[in-house]
């Protein structure tokens, strides 16, 4: 096998393909990236760990077609460090020789016949605008659990009904829900999938330079898969197994009190006031006519308070939240104002965005936050 490829193109493709390689693979070949050079001038780079697969196609000048398997992480590190010149790759027996300018590297190959076949991409279910997908995934994955002992909650529930897709995530302390429209392959499309939040975040970061992302889905059988394809890259991931808790019902049907505050002002004030909030202590919010007062710290500890302008509808209310979870929710909003809706100080609050102080709230993204009881 022999080919020449641009250094930047190779580095980007190898880095993306090798990103999910296991640090301690159960089988040595799973630490490799499979490189296939085809006679029509395309280089296929692929990786697979029996859970997530990745494949990237890039142009190359192929002299001799062939297939080889090399250490993915090492190849990624080398390709990023090479000078900005074309890279020549030549396979010599059990070794791969990389030459770039005056730099020369020799890598050992791995047995390519022992490498598992990548899963077949499921049928395309539809496509989502890349910008919309990036925003929606960023909003929802903030609420997904990082606790691997609760695999169900590390996933994002994806509900597909015709042209509407709903994403839901929770870690039991907060719940995020985002509704968006997409272009389904069939107008009567209907499916539910539980996708790893890690996979969705990765797709949103690395596959959205193209205009749209194709979503492929197979929810039948033990090898239920979701796949994403855009801009010469494709990735598949096994779906999370299990029944997701019925979280939609946590959103109250109606609320008695709501307050509207400038999102940016509330973020800045919450950051300042939370500086004195010791670990696991809440930040208190007291809403009254025309203002909200943020407070943290009590007793002999450091204390802070700040008042902001707020438009309150309903009774005065005082509640408290984990400052990090509050800031995560505020940061996920894209609107200039946040509406915080309450039913009771000890019941969850719902955060939504709106364009103006007096406007209607936008229900396409909702963030539900559990309050924390505080002394006094």
């Amino acid at each position: 096998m022999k080919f020449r490829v641009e250094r930047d193109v190779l580095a980007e493709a190898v880095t993306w393909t090798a990103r999910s390689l296991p640090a301690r693979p159960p089988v040595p070949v799973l630490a490799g990236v499979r490189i296939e050079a085809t006679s029509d001038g395309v280089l296929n780079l692929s990786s697979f760990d029996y859970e997530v697969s990745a494949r990237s196609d890039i142009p190359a000048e192929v002299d001799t077609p062939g297939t080889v398997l090399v250490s993915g992480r090492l190849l990624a590190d080398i390709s990023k460090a090479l000078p900005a010149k074309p890279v020549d790759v030549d396979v010599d027996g059990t070794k791969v020789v990389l030459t770039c300018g005056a730099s020369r590297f020799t890598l050992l190959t791995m047995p390519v016949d022992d490498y598992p076949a990548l899963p077949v991409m499921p049928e395309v279910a539809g496509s989502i605008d890349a910008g919309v997908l990036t925003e929606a995934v960023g909003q929802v994955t903030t609420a997904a659990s990082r606790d691997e002992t609760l695999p169900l909650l590390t996933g994002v529930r994806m509900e597909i009904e015709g042209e509407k897709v709903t994403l839901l995530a929770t870690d039991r302390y907060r719940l995020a829900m985002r509704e968006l429209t997409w272009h389904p392959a069939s107008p009567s499309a209907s499916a539910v999938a539980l996708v790893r939040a890690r996979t969705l975040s990765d797709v949103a970061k690395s596959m959205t330079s193209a205009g749209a992302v194709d979503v492929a889905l197979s929810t039948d059988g033990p090898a239920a898969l979701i796949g994403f394809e855009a801009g010469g890259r494709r990735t598949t991931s096994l779906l999370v197994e299990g029944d997701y808790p019925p979280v939609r019902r946590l959103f109250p049907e109606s609320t008695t009190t709501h307050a509207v505050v400038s999102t940016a002002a509330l973020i800045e004030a919450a950051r300042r006031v939370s500086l004195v909030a010791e670990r696991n202590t809440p930040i208190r919010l007291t809403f009254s006519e025309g203002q909200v007062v943020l407070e943290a710290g009590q007793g002999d500890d450091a204390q802070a308070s700040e008042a902001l302008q707020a438009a309150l509808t309903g009774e005065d209310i005082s509640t408290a939240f984990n400052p990090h979870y509050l800031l995560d929710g505020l940061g996920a909003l894209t609107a200039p104002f946040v509406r915080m809706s309450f039913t009771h100080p000890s019941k969850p609050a719902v955060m939504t965005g709106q364009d103006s102080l007096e406007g209607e709230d936008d229900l396409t993204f909702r963030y539900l936050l559990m309050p924390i009881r505080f002394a006094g």
Side-chain angles (χ1 to χ4, degrees):
M1 185 174 85
K2 187 175 183 182
F3 63 85
R4 169 175 275 202
V5 64
E6 290 300 319
R7 176 257 185 189
D8 289 349
V9 174
L10 178 69
E12 196 176 309
V14 174
T15 303
W16 181 77
T17 308
R19 77 203 183 289
S20 58
L21 289 176
R24 296 186 184 85
V27 187
V29 290
L30 294 184
V33 162
R34 184 177 179 271
I35 303 172
E36 181 183 1
T38 63
S39 54
D40 53 359
V42 177
L43 210 58
N44 308 133
L45 294 95
S46 52
S47 65
F48 184 40
D49 64 357
Y50 290 107
E51 188 176 292
V52 176
S53 80
R55 175 174 159 157
S56 184
D57 297 342
I58 56 172
E61 296 173 25
V62 180
D63 287 345
T64 313
T67 307
V68 72
L69 186 69
V70 293
S71 167
R73 290 182 191 279
L74 183 57
L75 182 61
D77 289 343
I78 289 171
S79 56
K80 283 186 284 190
L82 290 172
K85 293 179 180 177
V87 182
D88 290 300
V89 178
D90 196 355
V91 175
D92 180 12
T94 59
K95 294 179 179 176
V96 177
V97 180
L98 268 87
T99 311
C100 180
S103 300
R104 179 186 166 94
F105 289 88
T106 305
L107 303 178
L108 290 175
T109 63
M110 298 163 144
V112 74
D113 293 340
D114 294 348
Y115 201 70
L118 265 68
V120 177
M121 191 80 161
E123 197 174 321
V124 172
S127 68
I128 302 178
D129 176 82
V132 172
L133 181 65
T134 302
E135 182 184 275
V137 168
Q139 289 176 317
V140 170
T141 50
T142 54
S145 176
R146 312 287 190 272
D147 186 355
E148 293 293 339
T149 61
L150 297 166
L152 263 184
L153 300 185
T154 64
V156 172
R157 179 178 167 91
M158 179 185 278
E159 299 174 355
I160 297 169
E161 280 300 332
E163 292 187 350
K164 189 168 89 169
V165 177
T166 305
L167 303 177
L168 292 141
T170 183
D171 60 3
R172 297 179 301 172
Y173 305 106
R174 63 258 179 90
L175 163 63
M177 182 169 102
R178 169 69 197 262
E179 294 176 346
L180 54 101
T181 53
W182 75 326
H183 307 287
S186 161
S188 58
S190 179
V192 174
L194 192 54
V195 189
R196 286 174 174 79
R198 203 172 55 235
T199 301
L200 276 179
S201 293
D202 183 64
V203 167
K205 284 175 190 160
S206 64
M207 292 180 69
T208 49
S209 55
V213 178
D214 287 339
V215 181
L217 194 58
S218 163
T219 55
D220 302 327
L225 273 184
I226 190 164
F228 299 92
E229 184 167 5
R233 292 176 175 179
R234 62 167 65 175
T235 183
T236 67
S237 173
L238 289 177
L239 296 176
V240 181
E241 293 181 3
D243 295 324
Y244 204 68
V247 292
R248 269 178 183 262
R249 66 185 187 195
L250 296 175
F251 287 106
E253 289 183 10
S254 61
T255 54
T256 53
T257 303
H258 70 260
V260 181
V261 192
S262 161
T263 309
L266 187 54
I267 288 173
E268 291 300 318
R271 280 183 181 150
R272 281 190 289 269
V273 171
S274 64
L275 291 172
V276 301
E278 296 289 327
R279 195 178 171 192
N280 297 330
T281 61
I283 180 170
R284 300 184 295 281
L285 280 76
T286 304
F287 294 91
S288 56
E289 186 60 45
Q291 71 166 14
V292 55
V293 178
L294 291 79
E295 298 170 284
Q298 56 190 23
D300 296 332
D301 299 328
Q303 296 178 26
S305 69
E306 185 164 338
L308 291 177
Q309 181 184 355
L312 179 70
T313 303
E315 301 281 323
D316 291 3
I317 194 165
S318 186
T319 186
F321 301 111
N322 175 306
H324 302 297
Y325 297 165
L326 174 66
L327 285 165
D328 282 347
L330 291 170
L333 291 167
T334 54
F337 291 90
V338 55
R339 177 188 291 214
M340 302 186 73
S341 304
F342 307 93
T343 54
H344 188 272
S346 62
K347 296 280 176 64
V350 180
M351 292 161 56
T352 48
Q354 59 186 62
D355 290 332
S356 63
L357 204 58
E358 304 294 331
E360 287 294 310
D361 59 332
D362 177 7
L363 296 177
T364 55
F365 175 65
R366 289 186 274 172
Y367 186 88
L368 180 131
L369 185 55
M370 293 291 292
I372 297 175
R373 287 184 182 165
F374 58 94

